[in-house]
Amino acid sequence: MSEEKRSAKTLPVVDFLKIPADGTPYLEGHKCKQCGAVFLGVRSTCSKCSARGSMDAVRLSNRGTLYVYSIVHRSFPGIDVPYVSAVVDLEGGGTVKGNLIDVEPTPAKIRLGMPVEVVYKDALGRKDKEGNSYLSYFFRPAS
Ligand SMILES: [Zn+2]
């Protein structure tokens, strides 16, 4: 039991969520040196200008605006509904899909273009067989 605890880690739910040793998690994108386009995740060729081998890893902003959303009423067993699935344009580039939390899931409370921030939280409190927990990212309304 104690051995399990010692080796248990917090793992990211997606590979573009980075958890550095010093703590503060962030989302990682890749920025094209030729045209400045920013994409999520690793790629070797720019989808915008087709430049090859010119992508640099960049730390994405934790602030952005709501581009589009959908209120989800049906999901997999064990997933609480309704929840808000959102696509957010991050400041400085990068477009990310995730869940919008801390808001009533009704169109009256959600506005396209509203400012949001990225927050990092445990993913549903679940652990795998090795006792590892998972860190996820969410959006919430920002002022
Ligand atoms: Zn490019």
Side-chain angles (χ1 to χ4, degrees):
M1 186 68 189
S2 61
E3 221 168 87
E4 243 177 55
K5 271 189 180 167
R6 252 202 317 272
S7 62
K9 299 186 195 90
T10 299
L11 304 171
V13 289
V14 286
D15 59 6
F16 57 84
L17 196 172
K18 301 297 178 188
I19 308 174
D22 66 6
T24 317
Y26 64 94
L27 299 181
E28 185 182 77
H30 280 79
K31 183 172 187 172
C32 175
K33 280 185 276 209
Q34 303 297 318
C35 74
V38 176
F39 305 95
L40 268 190
V42 181
R43 61 181 75 196
S44 58
T45 302
C46 177
S47 304
K48 190 172 180 195
C49 73
S50 303
R52 284 171 186 271
S54 73
M55 308 302 288
D56 282 338
V58 289
R59 192 178 183 124
L60 299 177
S61 174
N62 281 331
R63 299 189 66 87
T65 54
L66 181 63
Y67 175 68
V68 72
Y69 71 92
S70 176
I71 299 171
V72 179
H73 291 273
R74 299 181 75 172
S75 190
F76 298 99
I79 304 291
D80 288 338
V81 291
Y83 66 89
V84 182
S85 178
V87 175
V88 166
D89 287 328
L90 297 176
E91 278 177 12
T95 299
V96 187
K97 183 173 179 290
N99 289 354
L100 178 65
I101 60 169
D102 294 345
V103 69
E104 220 180 297
T106 165
K109 301 284 184 186
I110 305 168
R111 185 172 47 81
L112 296 181
M114 71 193 271
V116 297
E117 63 180 345
V118 183
V119 291
Y120 301 89
K121 290 180 171 214
D122 192 79
L124 305 169
R126 288 176 189 162
K127 292 194 192 312
D128 65 16
K129 279 184 204 157
E130 284 78 43
N132 300 313
S133 56
Y134 287 84
L135 188 73
S136 189
Y137 64 94
F138 302 89
F139 307 115
R140 75 173 174 212
S143 45

